[in-house]
Amino acid sequence: MRIAVACDHGGFVQKDAVIEHLKSLGHEVTDLGTNSEESVDYPDYADRAARMVSRGEADRAILICGTGIGMAITADKVPGVRATPVQTVKFAELARQHNNANVIALSGRFVSLEDNLVLVDTFLNTEFEGGRHAKRVEKIMREDDPAFPGVDA
Ligand code: RB5
């Protein structure tokens, strides 16, 4: 897979190891930084990775910040992106099976590298179930359209 990886200073400590792991599995990785523990604004890095997915230049993106929350919130606002923070294997699995997530955001501060690598593997190896979930994911994607008036309009 083509995978975009980005982090802020809160995720930098794990980024290189995540990239090495992905490369060892044969994935094509684009490293979008940051490249030190110097403080940066996580939306800038989440945006670059999410837009690669949105433009079809990456199949998935993996983001790492302190909690995973801010980068996921940012990425999810980019059209075509379904992003979520994940902290447990079950959530990584369900994010794929039910939500067809194409971006995950990891916590570099509160989840160990070892555990995050399992989350990465789960994210990459779990298929979307489709079926009843397909209709719901289509409804999620309506929200990308500025002309969508909302369900009660
Ligand atoms: C940076 O201090 C921190 O706010 C960021 O890494 C992330 O946790 C935001 O959600």
Side-chain angles (χ1 to χ4, degrees), residues 8-10 42 65-67 69-70 109:
D8 74 351
H9 52 286
Y42 60 81
C65 62
T67 58
I69 296 170
R109 288 189 178 142

Side-chain angles (χ1 to χ4, degrees), residues 137-148:
V137 170
E138 281 169 23
K139 287 187 171 184
I140 291 174
M141 303 320 289
R142 292 182 303 195
E143 306 290 346
D144 276 351
D145 180 359
F148 175 58

Side-chain angles (χ1 to χ4, degrees), residues 21 89 92 113-123:
H21 179 70
V89 171
L113 172 63
E114 184 185 18
D115 287 350
N116 272 335
L117 294 182
V118 178
L119 300 179
V120 164
D121 290 345
T122 304
F123 172 59

